[in-house]
Amino acid sequence: MQIKHLALAAAVAATSLAAQAQTEIQWWHSMTAVNNEWVNDLAKQFNESQKEYKVIPTFKGTYDESMTAAIAAFRSGNAPHVLQVFEVGTATMMASKGATVPVGKVMKDAGAAFDPSAYIPAVAAYYTDPNGQMLSFPFNSSTTIFYYNKDAFKKAGLNTDKAPATWPEVFEAAKKLKASGHSCPMTLAWMGWTQLESFSAWHNVEFATEKNGLSPNGYKARMKINSPLHVRHIDNLSQAAKAGEFVYKGRGSAAQASFTSGECAMIQTSSGFYGDVAKNAKFAYGLAPLPYYPDVKGAPQNTVIGGASLWVMAGKKPAEYKGVAKFFEFLSDTKVQAASHQRTGYLPITMGAYELTDKSGFYAKHPGTDTAVNQMVRKVTDNSRGIRLGNYVQIRTIEDEELEQVWAGKKTAKEALDSIVSRGNELLARFERSYKK
């Protein structure tokens, strides 16, 4: 009997030691609601797939809050192993010399399988430096798409099977929705991203010099979004706001809740909003490409990347980096990628995941869910590869501030866009000075 107790005690002790021997990987992220559930499920799946490492996901606030917290933690020696950074923070992370380790190096040092060419070109290119080294791991990459409420369209006498394809059609639909009694015909989320960045790429017009900051001299970039086309578009939205056909609902993703609730009938926002819509919308809805101005030569072109990537922070032990590499290997698995894409609406990241999703019949069963991929895989130009500017987190705030002045009727479109350019260029000049140090 005593031998049995000793054997049991030894087994318990061994199990305890094995648990203690697990290398913990801290992962800070900014995912909320259904996407927070997704992140937690990914960590759980990885942790259950092996016994050496334990990934611990922690929500650290909005994208800019988590990035600020991680940089402060790095300075005090308490940074996480993995940090989720939104795309507009990429140039800042690239300039934070010594704070991160390129994902390509992490994977190579760990002997982990990693093939940058497997990723959708537009995704891989955005997170790769001019020397060809991939700096961060593509994770929840998204792009901007158009969502509409089919029930509201039906009530307004609009075609429920075909979304408005052009901006004139969108404004006409908004008028009919308003006339049918809809209090919020159209709203927008992530204004700078949807109405300035994606708008520029979709119309193949310059957003900033130096190939939108993506050239080898990208740190010298200056903004160019006060062109006649930009002014015309923001002025059109201003007129719609005055007529009650466009209703501003707040910064960032704030407007999204007004779509899922049925209050607003049309919204332009992230493809990563799909999971929320699929779970919470109590009405028939459609997904479609962004609208464009048909008189602009070359439009539509392609949209730019949004969402975020995973950066590996510096100053960790080799064993911990090996765990990070194993986790990234897990996330790279085609089946894992495909399941994440189908669940969230984020891009499938790799062509393999896209092909698996296509073969499974998912796109046929859920029309419009391939919109994000189709918008991204077109041939890109220097105006549509993406936007990577220094201090861009702060510039996005300037864009919000100035556009809010337009919606409130306090500034004209030209005044606001001129101000965005001048204020933004001050920050870009400051970034250039710090970059050269």
Side-chain angles (χ1 to χ4, degrees), residues 233-243 246 406-407 409 411-413:
H233 177 55
I234 298 304
D235 184 58
N236 285 342
L237 285 172
S238 172
Q239 298 308 315
K242 287 176 186 173
F246 157 51
V406 178
W407 313 149
K411 279 191 177 183
T412 66

Side-chain angles (χ1 to χ4, degrees), residues 142-144 190-195 197-198 270 304-306 396:
S142 62
T143 196
T144 47
W190 301 105
M191 292 187 296
W193 182 36
T194 60
Q195 302 312 304
E197 296 164 37
S198 290
S270 170
V304 293
I305 195 173
R396 272 260 183 99

Side-chain angles (χ1 to χ4, degrees), residues 15-24 51-53:
T15 302
S16 178
L17 283 170
Q20 289 174 3
Q22 271 193 321
T23 300
E24 291 189 349
K51 303 198 183 302
E52 284 185 80
Y53 309 101

Side-chain angles (χ1 to χ4, degrees), residues 172-184:
E172 186 60 31
K175 289 182 189 303
K176 290 183 178 179
L177 286 159
K178 177 77 174 172
S180 72
H182 217 85
S183 63
C184 177

Side-chain angles (χ1 to χ4, degrees), residues 38 40-50 330 336 339 343:
W38 166 57
N40 289 334
D41 285 347
L42 283 174
K44 185 182 179 202
Q45 288 169 33
F46 172 72
N47 294 339
E48 290 174 351
S49 72
Q50 46 71 54
F330 165 80
V336 172
R343 175 174 177 172

